[in-house]
Amino acid sequence: MKESIDYSLKNHGSNVIYANEVKIAKNKSKEALADYLPQVSGSFSLDDNIKRQTTVLPGAMFGSDKDVEVQFGNKFNSMAIIQLDQTIYDQALIYGIKAGVPAKKIAELKLQKNNEDLIYNTATAYSQILLLKEQQKMLVANEKQYNDLYAITKFRLEKGVAKKVDLDRVTVQLNDIKAKQKQIQTSINVAYASLKNEMGMPQETSFVIEESLDYSKYLQFTDESLDVRNLIDYKLQSENIALKEIDVKRKQAAYLPTITGYIRNGQQAFGNELDAAVSNWKNFSAIGLKANVPIFSGMRKDAQLQQSRLELVNAKEDFNLNIGKFELQFQNANKQLQENIATLNSNKSNMDLSKSVYETGVFEYNKGVSLLSDLLNADFSYQQAQSNYMSSLLNLVANRLLYERAKGTISSFVNQL
């Protein structure tokens, strides 16, 4: 089972997805931090003023009664600029950086939860095969017993101490056992396909699992209380609330002013000939501060803030509801498991007792001191007890895994099987 689980954790496609989500969260944190780091940009432009703008100047400036139309500038103008911008204060960006912490934890917890799901699903599918093989072993043993019974009954018929109907009844039971064996083999094949799917293994791959599992470990149960803080779902919702609280603060910070600083350095060249516009460069530079004060955004910021506040309220309410749900799931799994253990022990005793009755019936029939009908009745009771035992064993395994999952200890439990 451990090898199957290890294969699932390494090869199932969902693990690749959630591992990538962790990487995405880390890169989003880097992206948020980058907005507070220096931003350097460069630009180059070359203008050909095909038709320059005309400006009218008063004629009095030139000693004329008429206004004078003039065109300023040169035909060609080029400019190269490099600028460094640095955010000095932006509270919304600061909260955006802080949001990276719970966002990363959420991604990591989702990966852990997926691992937990893979462990549970793989262990369940693996156990299903083992239980089916246990049923198959019982059917093989029953077939052997009925083959012996068939031979004895046929011999007694030949000696005239048994009836044809007795041999027919044994034959019917033997055929029924053989039919059940075919059914169980089909179920085993289906269970193997299910296990491969849970492991992320190609269906064409062939393998055989060990046919031994210590079921007594499923019976080793102590009535314990639940600490919901250990559950991955609890941690996920806690981090989600933390993320939404930061989002509310970030929306509130949108009302605050932002301050940025910049350093600009550039060169400019111009002339009526293209050569002059790309060779005769003039340097210029500037340093400055820029403050942006939000005044009115058409109620957009307020609407965004109210949405975030309501989402936070809903997340907290959902969290409180789920705490009760977690506790209820655990209590139900706890009670169901205790009932399963009691039922299994009872059915095991009944199966052992009915087996003893059946073996006595076989002995008496072979000695000729009992009728075949008595033996078949004992066999029916024995097979019914076997069926009840296997059903209770199946329920025990399934509910023990559910119990460990509800307690948040599925990983440690399957490791000690």
Side-chain angles (χ1 to χ4, degrees):
M1 180 182 289
K2 189 176 185 304
E3 290 177 354
S4 297
I5 291 173
D6 289 342
Y7 187 97
S8 300
L9 296 176
K10 293 177 182 177
N11 296 280
H12 201 278
S14 62
N15 237 11
V16 176
I17 295 173
Y18 285 101
N20 286 339
E21 290 294 330
V22 174
K23 295 177 182 177
I24 290 172
K26 291 180 179 178
N27 282 287
K28 283 186 176 180
S29 295
K30 293 180 181 178
E31 180 184 4
L33 179 61
D35 289 335
Y36 231 99
L37 296 177
Q39 308 292 313
V40 180
S41 61
S43 64
F44 174 80
S45 63
L46 173 63
D47 294 333
D48 181 353
N49 299 307
I50 299 173
K51 189 173 183 179
R52 286 169 287 169
Q53 183 177 351
T54 300
T55 302
V56 178
L57 298 177
M61 296 176 59
F62 305 98
S64 173
D65 295 336
K66 296 181 179 180
D67 292 339
V68 178
E69 295 181 354
V70 297
Q71 291 179 326
F72 290 102
N74 299 101
K75 178 175 175 55
F76 296 100
N77 184 52
S78 58
M79 185 176 296
I81 299 174
I82 185 169
Q83 179 166 323
L84 182 148
D85 294 282
Q86 174 64 58
T87 300
I88 297 174
Y89 175 75
D90 189 330
Q91 191 62 46
L93 283 181
I94 293 174
Y95 283 123
I97 295 171
K98 291 182 177 180
V101 176
K104 180 184 174 184
K105 288 183 179 178
I106 288 173
E108 292 172 343
L109 287 169
K110 285 183 177 180
L111 176 60
Q112 292 179 31
K113 181 173 174 56
N114 183 65
N115 287 341
E116 190 176 84
D117 291 341
L118 289 175
I119 291 171
Y120 172 80
N121 293 336
T122 303
T124 300
Y126 189 98
S127 300
Q128 180 70 22
I129 295 176
L130 291 177
L131 292 168
L132 288 170
K133 284 183 174 289
E134 287 295 319
Q135 290 179 276
Q136 189 178 50
K137 291 177 183 178
M138 288 183 176
L139 288 173
V140 169
N142 290 342
E143 182 185 16
K144 182 180 182 305
Q145 290 173 344
Y146 266 90
N147 281 329
D148 294 341
L149 181 60
Y150 179 87
I152 293 172
T153 305
K154 184 178 180 182
F155 176 78
R156 295 182 67 181
L157 177 63
E158 292 171 350
K159 295 298 182 181
V161 294
K163 299 178 181 180
K164 176 70 166 54
V165 67
D166 292 339
L167 185 62
D168 292 342
R169 293 174 69 181
V170 174
T171 302
V172 169
Q173 292 296 326
L174 186 58
N175 290 339
D176 182 61
I177 291 174
K178 291 179 179 179
K180 288 180 178 178
Q181 284 182 322
K182 292 181 180 179
Q183 293 175 356
I184 208 74
Q185 185 58 53
T186 300
S187 298
I188 289 174
N189 294 338
V190 171
Y192 264 109
S194 177
L195 176 59
K196 290 176 186 178
N197 180 65
E198 298 299 346
M199 292 168 59
M201 176 181 287
Q203 288 295 326
E204 60 271 16
T205 304
S206 178
F207 70 96
V208 178
I209 68 173
E210 293 182 5
E211 297 183 20
S212 62
L213 183 63
D214 187 1
Y215 296 111
S216 63
K217 294 182 179 179
Y218 287 84
L219 297 169
Q220 297 171 6
F221 169 73
T222 55
D223 192 1
E224 300 176 353
S225 59
L226 173 68
D227 186 353
V228 293
R229 293 172 297 180
N230 293 330
L231 299 178
I232 293 179
D233 284 328
Y234 178 94
K235 297 175 182 178
L236 265 173
Q237 291 194 275
S238 297
E239 294 298 333
N240 185 54
I241 288 174
L243 185 61
K244 291 188 179 298
E245 288 175 340
I246 292 175
D247 187 60
V248 170
K249 293 177 181 179
R250 187 173 66 85
K251 298 293 175 58
Q252 291 173 331
Y255 290 96
L256 300 176
T258 61
I259 301 174
T260 57
Y262 63 90
I263 299 174
R264 184 186 304 123
N265 187 61
Q267 291 184 325
Q268 184 179 22
F270 46 84
N272 291 320
E273 300 295 332
L274 182 60
D275 290 345
V278 294
S279 60
N280 189 21
W281 295 98
K282 307 295 182 182
N283 291 329
F284 66 91
S285 60
I287 184 170
L289 289 175
K290 181 172 65 175
N292 180 40
V293 182
I295 297 175
F296 181 69
S297 63
M299 305 300 291
R300 178 173 57 86
K301 289 185 177 65
D302 181 69
Q304 292 175 337
L305 177 58
Q306 295 306 319
Q307 290 177 56
S308 293
R309 283 174 172 169
L310 292 172
E311 288 175 358
L312 175 60
V313 171
N314 285 346
K316 290 181 177 179
E317 289 296 328
D318 190 51
F319 181 59
N320 292 330
L321 289 173
N322 281 332
I323 288 178
K325 180 182 175 182
F326 298 149
E327 293 173 345
L328 179 62
Q329 288 175 339
F330 174 77
Q331 291 172 5
N332 290 340
N334 188 314
K335 293 177 182 177
Q336 188 64 56
L337 183 57
Q338 293 185 55
E339 182 180 336
N340 291 147
I341 292 174
T343 302
L344 179 68
N345 291 331
S346 175
N347 287 339
K348 179 67 166 58
S349 298
N350 288 339
M351 185 178 69
D352 293 340
L353 181 60
S354 61
K355 181 180 180 181
S356 177
V357 172
Y358 172 74
E359 290 174 346
T360 300
V362 171
F363 177 78
E364 292 178 348
Y365 177 74
N366 291 339
K367 294 295 183 180
V369 297
S370 67
L371 300 174
L372 178 64
S373 58
D374 295 331
L375 176 58
L376 293 179
N377 288 335
D379 174 66
F380 176 79
S381 298
Y382 179 42
Q383 289 192 36
Q384 187 65 42
Q386 284 181 323
S387 177
N388 291 339
Y389 171 74
M390 290 306 304
S391 295
S392 58
L393 185 58
L394 176 62
N395 290 334
L396 170 68
V397 171
N399 287 314
R400 184 58 190 263
L401 293 174
L402 280 173
Y403 169 80
E404 298 296 338
R405 190 184 195 184
K407 195 171 66 168
T409 54
I410 183 70
S411 299
S412 58
F413 175 73
V414 297
N415 283 334
Q416 55 90 31
L417 289 176

